Amino acid sequence: MRFYRREAAASWRDTLQMRMSPVEPDWEAVPEVCRVALAEWDKAVAGLGEELMSILCEGLGIKSEKLKELSCLEGRNEVGGLLQVKCGDEWVDVDAVPGAIVINIGDLLQMMSNDEYKSVQHRVLANPVEGVRVSIDVFFTPSNQDKLYGPLPEVTSTTKPAVYQEFKYEDYIRRFFTKELDGKTLINFYKINNTKA
């Protein structure tokens, strides 16, 4: 668990970041005021994630446990979101709906689905008014960082060949945390016959 304040351009925020899985946090190090709530939240989020990934697998026509078997449910990182998504060249607000959960398909799932599912470019804006805003982001990530990831064999064929090369998740995440804030996506780097854009 890390407590830190980052003062980089376009990334101002106070953050409580916790890795909840595959190894549970040291619960004694978690602030007592939120310890029980975080444990209950994580259990609910893990169940929701498992159900969503099962539905996504069925949408690809593959067995519902495939992403779970690839350890995609084991790594969870909760961090502390006014959300906008990119539609063409414009940024569009995603209005908050009480009780709703916003789910984004990430780059990894786009590459594993061989472009059947599309990642969405998004950003979070600073508060438009004074006051505190609390956002909770949960990222489901593979726990096996040495394994090769890429288009699932079940979604590629001679008529729909792989669009992306295989890569280690460790390599992807290293590139993710060192990339510039230029709006360019990392999926282009892994495209077969890419221009490294």
Side-chain angles (χ1 to χ4, degrees), residues 7 18 20 31 51 53 56 62 68 76 80 88 117 119 132 135 151 155 158 171 187 192 194-195:
E7 293 291 347
M18 298 181 61
M20 304 298 283
E51 186 174 340
M53 287 199 190
L56 290 169
I62 60 178
K68 184 176 183 178
R76 283 190 304 287
Y117 295 129
S119 177
V132 175
S135 298
V155 297
T158 54
D171 176 66
I187 60 172
I192 295 174
N194 69 62
T195 60

Side-chain angles (χ1 to χ4, degrees), residues 4 13 40 68 70 82 84 135 138 142 145 154 166 173 181:
Y4 59 90
R13 64 186 181 270
E40 291 174 357
K68 184 176 183 178
L70 292 171
L82 205 58
Q84 290 187 325
S135 298
V138 179
Q145 301 212 351
E154 298 92 335
E166 289 188 318
I173 207 68
L181 293 172

Side-chain angles (χ1 to χ4, degrees), residues 71-136:
S71 81
C72 292
L73 279 164
E74 292 177 10
R76 283 190 304 287
N77 181 22
E78 301 184 20
V79 297
L82 205 58
L83 179 67
Q84 290 187 325
V85 296
K86 193 87 176 251
C87 291
D89 292 332
E90 301 291 321
W91 287 102
V92 179
D93 291 338
V94 175
D95 295 326
V97 176
I101 297 172
V102 176
I103 300 166
N104 291 334
I105 298 293
D107 291 347
L108 185 62
L109 189 53
Q110 178 171 338
M111 292 184 282
M112 291 174 72
S113 74
N114 205 34
D115 280 348
E116 289 296 318
Y117 295 129
K118 301 288 187 182
S119 177
V120 63
Q121 189 175 356
H122 60 282
R123 68 182 183 184
V124 178
L125 301 178
N127 279 356
V129 295
E130 281 191 38
V132 175
R133 182 181 76 236
V134 176
S135 298
I136 302 173

